Amino acid sequence: MKKIEAIIKPFKLDDVREALAEIGITGMTVSEVKGFGRQKGHTELYRGAEYMVDFLPKVKLDLIVQDDDVDACIESIVETAHTGKIGDGKIFVTAVERVIRIRTGEENEEAI
């Protein structure tokens, strides 16, 4: 099993969720996050004063999938979240040793 963490632009969330649903991925956790990389934020004018906005709003998706589904998930996220502009996001893939569904006690693949 693998954990896929995808940081994407907020307006792409619905499109990515629908694209993942089309390939059979329905479970995910979504968090509103802030951050920056090469995009480095921007300046804004507020009440006549200019200030730097370092952390830009993003959305983080967390998915736990079976090894066979990893490549399809990544391909789907990349194709759907891509705008070609700076700040499109990143995807991180890590190994998951164990998953437990609290309600039933099911473990690993049965718990996904």
Side-chain angles (χ1 to χ4, degrees):
M1 293 177 296
K2 301 284 190 228
K3 177 179 183 181
I4 299 174
E5 293 178 70
I7 312 290
I8 63 171
K9 291 182 176 183
F11 70 90
K12 287 291 193 173
L13 175 60
D14 286 335
D15 294 338
V16 170
R17 183 187 50 79
E18 289 172 11
L20 289 169
E22 286 177 13
I23 62 168
I25 306 298
T26 56
M28 69 183 73
T29 301
V30 177
S31 306
E32 292 180 6
V33 296
K34 292 183 180 189
F36 71 94
R38 291 184 184 162
Q39 204 171 2
K40 294 189 174 74
H42 62 280
T43 57
E44 287 189 6
L45 200 60
Y46 179 72
R47 293 188 178 183
E50 192 173 283
Y51 67 98
M52 186 69 179
V53 178
D54 288 332
F55 296 100
L56 301 169
K58 301 288 182 181
V59 173
K60 179 175 143 183
L61 306 175
D62 291 308
L63 302 92
I64 307 297
V65 299
Q66 294 186 29
D67 291 343
D68 296 343
D69 296 329
V70 172
D71 290 335
C73 285
I74 291 170
E75 184 178 319
S76 182
I77 294 167
V78 168
E79 286 178 6
T80 310
H82 179 266
T83 67
K85 297 183 180 153
I86 195 164
D88 273 353
K90 291 210 170 45
I91 299 173
F92 306 95
V93 180
T94 55
V96 174
E97 293 183 27
R98 191 172 176 196
V99 176
I100 299 112
R101 185 185 310 268
I102 295 173
R103 179 177 55 87
T104 62
E106 293 170 305
E107 293 198 27
N108 301 323
E109 284 80 11
E110 292 82 30
I112 299 177

